[in-house]
Amino acid sequence: MTQLDVRPAAEDTARDVTDVRGKGLGKGSVGLVGSAVIGISTVAPVYCLTSTLGSTAGEVGVQMPAVFLAGFLPMLLVAFAYRELNKAVPDCGTSFTWTVKAFGPRIGWMCGWGLVIATIIVLSNLAGVATSYFWLLAGEITGSPSIAALDDSKLVHIATCLTLVAVATAISYRGMTATKGVQYALVGLQLLVLAVFVAMALQKASAGSFDTGLDFSWQWMNPFAVESMAAFTAGLSLSIFMYWGWDACLATNEETTGSAKTPGRASLIAMVVLVGSYLATGIAAQMAVGSGDKGLGLANPDTSDNVFAALAGPVMGPALGVLLFVAVLASAAASLQTTFIPVARTVLAMSTYEALPPAYAKVHPKFKTPGRATVMAGVATGAFYTVMTLVSENVLTDTIFALGLMICFYYSLTAFACAWYFRAELRRSARDLFFKGVFPLLGGILLAAVFLKTLVDMWDPAYGSGSTVLGVGSVFVIGVGLLVLGLGVMLVTERRSPAFFRGEVLTKSTPALVVED
C-alpha cells in the first residue's frame, strides 16, 4: 500500500502521519470551486428549504431567520475543526481517520459508523423525495393528475426510486469528473431559481399581494425572542439538519488540488453560500406570506412540509412556478448523487486501514473511484428504502427523524477530536488556541447538547410518527438501536481484524511540538 505524502502544517510542528495510506484515488481532479459546489449540492438547499421552512416557522414563528443563524454557528465552529484536521491529515476517511488518530480505534470506528449510517438514511430519503417530485413534475407538465397520482402506487414509487439510485450510483462510479460536470449544472439551477423566487417574493411583499404578509423587522434576527427553550431547541434541530452535508468537501481531499488547504476553504465557502441562501429565502418568504398557520402562511400545517409546492404558483405564477418544482427535483437528485461521495470514501478508508473487509479497499483502475464501496452504498440505499417502505411508512418517517442523532454524534466527536489532537499546540499562538481548540470545543459541546436533548425528546412517543415500542418512542428505539447495532458490528469486526483495533495499522497519536535551534 502506498503512503500518502503528508507534510507538517508548520516547520516547528512534527506530526506522526507516517501510517496514513494513499488510496489510489484520482489526484487533482477537483479544484476549489468544484469542491465548494459538491458541498452545496450535498446539502441540497432547495430541498431543505421546501421541507423545513414551514416546520421551523411553526416552532419559532417570525424568529425563523434567527434560528437559521443559530444553527449555522455550531456548524461553522465544527467546520473550523475539519479545516485544521484536514491540514494536518488530509485523508478521505475524514471523521473516521481523525478520531482514530485522536481517541483510538474503537471511538474512531463508531464515528465512521455514525457517518455511514447517517448517509444511508439521507440517501434513501433523497431518493424518495426525488421520486415524488419526478411524478409531481410530470403531472404539472402534462396537466394530468393521473400521472402525478402514479407516485401513490408503491410498486411504481419503489421502481422509480431504485432507478434514480442506480443512475446516481453509476455517475458516482465513473469518477469526480463526471460528478463535477453534473453538479455545476444542478447547483447553478438551484441557486438561480432561488434568486428568482426571492426577487419575486420581495416584489409581492412590497405590493402587499397577500393579506398574511409582514413588514421586515430586525427583531426577526434575535434568537432570544423565541417564546420558549423547547421551541428554540426544536427549531435549532431543524436548522442543524439544513446544514448537514457540507463535509463532503473534505471527503474529496485526496482528489482535490492542494489537498491540505483547498477542501477546508471550500467547506467555508459552501457554508457562507448556504446561510446566505437560507436567510434571503426565509426573510423574503416571511415578508410575502407571513409565518402564520392560515392561508399561505409558512406554518400552515396543510402545506408546511412542502412550502414551495404551495407558494410556487402564487409567488412566481403558473409558468415560472414550474421552475420551482424543477429546482426541488434537481436539488434532491443532485444531493442524491454527491452524497455517495462521503459514504463511499469513508468505507474505502475504513477498509484500507483494515477496519472493514479488504474488498472495499479496491479502487477502479480507470475511473480512480472506490467502485465497490460506491456500489455497496447504492445497494444498501435501495434495499433500506424498499424494506422500510414495504414495512411501514411510520418506520421510514421515524428513521429520518433519528437522523439528527447520528449527525450530532459524528460531528461532535470530530470537533472534540480536533481539540484533543492539537492540545499540545494550543499555547503556541492565539490562532492555534481559537481555531484548533476553543472554536471546535465549543462547536462539539453545542452539538453534544443537541444530541442529549434529542435523546430525551425521542423517548416521548409523540416524537416523530407517534409509534411506540413497549411504550417507548420508536424514534428513540431506532436511533439508539442503530448505535447499539454499530457496537455489535464493531465487536464482530474486531475478531476478524484485530490488528486495527490493537492500534497497529492506524495509530493513535498527537502532534509533538518541536522547537528548532
Side-chain angles (χ1 to χ4, degrees):
M1 190 70 67
T2 60
Q3 300 294 312
L4 181 64
D5 180 20
V6 182
R7 298 182 179 180
E11 292 181 359
D12 63 343
T13 304
R15 306 186 190 283
D16 181 10
V17 292
T18 56
D19 54 355
V20 175
R21 299 174 175 178
K23 319 296 186 304
L25 297 167
K27 296 183 181 298
S29 55
V30 183
L32 177 63
V33 175
S35 183
V37 165
I38 287 172
I40 296 169
S41 175
T42 305
V43 174
V46 177
Y47 159 67
C48 284
L49 283 166
T50 193
S51 60
T52 57
L53 267 178
S55 301
T56 307
E59 294 290 348
V60 301
V62 295
Q63 261 58 56
M64 174 183 58
V67 171
F68 284 169
L69 282 175
F72 172 70
L73 177 61
M75 288 300 185
L76 178 63
L77 296 174
V78 173
F80 288 133
Y82 271 75
R83 185 186 65 177
E84 297 304 321
L85 286 166
N86 183 73
K87 284 181 182 179
V89 188
D91 187 273
C92 71
T94 60
S95 293
F96 159 74
T97 304
W98 300 331
T99 48
V100 171
K101 298 293 287 183
F103 299 133
R106 290 172 183 82
I107 294 179
W109 197 97
M110 284 302 299
C111 188
W113 170 265
L115 187 155
V116 170
I117 292 300
T119 309
I120 294 298
I121 294 173
V122 168
L123 281 169
S124 64
N125 186 37
L126 287 167
V129 170
T131 297
S132 296
Y133 264 89
F134 172 81
W135 290 112
L136 182 62
L137 180 61
E140 287 287 327
I141 292 174
T142 60
S144 172
S146 60
I147 291 180
L150 287 173
D151 190 55
D152 297 332
S153 167
K154 279 194 174 182
L155 180 61
V156 173
H157 181 88
I158 290 174
T160 308
C161 182
L162 293 179
T163 300
L164 291 175
V165 170
V167 171
T169 304
I171 295 174
S172 296
Y173 186 90
R174 291 184 62 83
M176 294 304 301
T177 302
T179 297
K180 189 171 58 176
V182 173
Q183 291 310 315
Y184 277 132
L186 295 180
V187 170
L189 173 64
Q190 289 183 66
L191 296 180
L192 176 61
V193 173
L194 273 184
V196 173
F197 174 83
V198 168
M200 298 190 75
L202 291 174
Q203 183 183 42
K204 296 287 185 181
S206 64
S209 300
F210 307 111
D211 295 338
T212 54
L214 299 171
D215 293 329
F216 174 77
S217 170
W218 285 106
Q219 185 69 6
W220 295 357
M221 313 302 287
N222 179 15
F224 299 103
V226 178
E227 293 184 356
S228 69
M229 188 63 187
F232 178 77
T233 303
L236 185 63
S237 296
L238 290 167
S239 180
I240 287 174
F241 167 73
M242 291 178 69
Y243 292 103
W244 180 82
W246 54 267
D247 50 312
C249 300
L250 284 300
T252 63
N253 50 18
E254 294 186 38
E255 299 151 273
T256 304
T257 55
S259 60
K261 294 183 179 181
T262 300
R265 292 171 178 169
S267 67
L268 294 177
I269 291 172
M271 293 285 283
V272 171
V273 171
L274 289 168
V275 71
S277 300
Y278 292 161
L279 286 175
T281 306
I283 291 172
Q286 195 157 270
M287 289 177 65
V289 300
S291 60
D293 58 3
K294 305 297 182 182
L296 290 175
L298 296 176
N300 187 327
D302 295 330
T303 58
S304 62
D305 61 342
N306 192 351
V307 167
F308 287 156
L311 298 185
V315 173
M316 301 181 69
L320 290 178
V322 174
L323 286 178
L324 208 48
F325 287 98
V326 173
V328 176
L329 175 59
S331 183
S335 183
L336 174 64
Q337 193 253 308
T338 52
T339 304
F340 276 99
I341 292 172
V343 66
R345 281 148 185 80
T346 298
V347 170
L348 170 68
M350 293 179 76
S351 182
T352 299
Y353 296 120
E354 302 176 29
L356 285 178
Y360 298 114
K362 295 184 178 179
V363 171
H364 193 283
K366 177 181 179 181
F367 302 127
K368 302 298 182 183
T369 60
R372 291 195 178 185
T374 301
V375 172
M376 181 279 294
V379 171
T381 298
F384 177 84
Y385 189 81
T386 300
V387 171
M388 292 296 101
T389 302
L390 293 175
V391 169
S392 170
E393 290 292 339
N394 287 341
V395 174
L396 181 62
T397 299
D398 288 341
T399 303
I400 295 168
F401 269 97
L403 170 66
L405 199 69
M406 301 297 160
I407 293 173
C408 291
F409 175 73
Y410 85 85
Y411 272 165
S412 60
L413 276 179
T414 307
F416 291 139
C418 179
W420 186 251
Y421 183 76
F422 291 113
R423 65 189 186 277
E425 299 182 5
L426 300 185
R427 290 180 292 179
R428 189 175 63 176
S429 68
R431 184 200 178 281
D432 286 341
L433 174 63
F434 284 98
F435 286 100
K436 296 178 180 178
V438 175
F439 292 159
L441 187 60
L442 181 57
I445 290 172
L446 291 173
L447 290 179
V450 175
F451 175 88
L452 294 174
K453 182 65 168 61
T454 304
L455 271 181
V456 174
D457 292 343
M458 283 179 171
W459 185 268
D460 186 348
Y463 195 93
S465 69
S467 302
T468 64
V469 178
L470 300 176
V472 179
S474 60
V475 179
F476 180 91
V477 174
I478 292 171
V480 175
L482 288 172
L483 291 176
V484 172
L485 176 63
L487 287 172
V489 175
M490 184 181 71
L491 292 175
V492 172
T493 305
E494 185 171 359
R495 296 188 64 180
R496 296 183 176 181
S497 306
F500 168 78
F501 291 94
R502 289 196 297 260
E504 297 172 1
V505 181
L506 187 62
T507 59
K508 176 182 177 182
S509 61
T510 55
L513 198 61
V514 178
V515 180
E516 298 182 352
D517 295 333

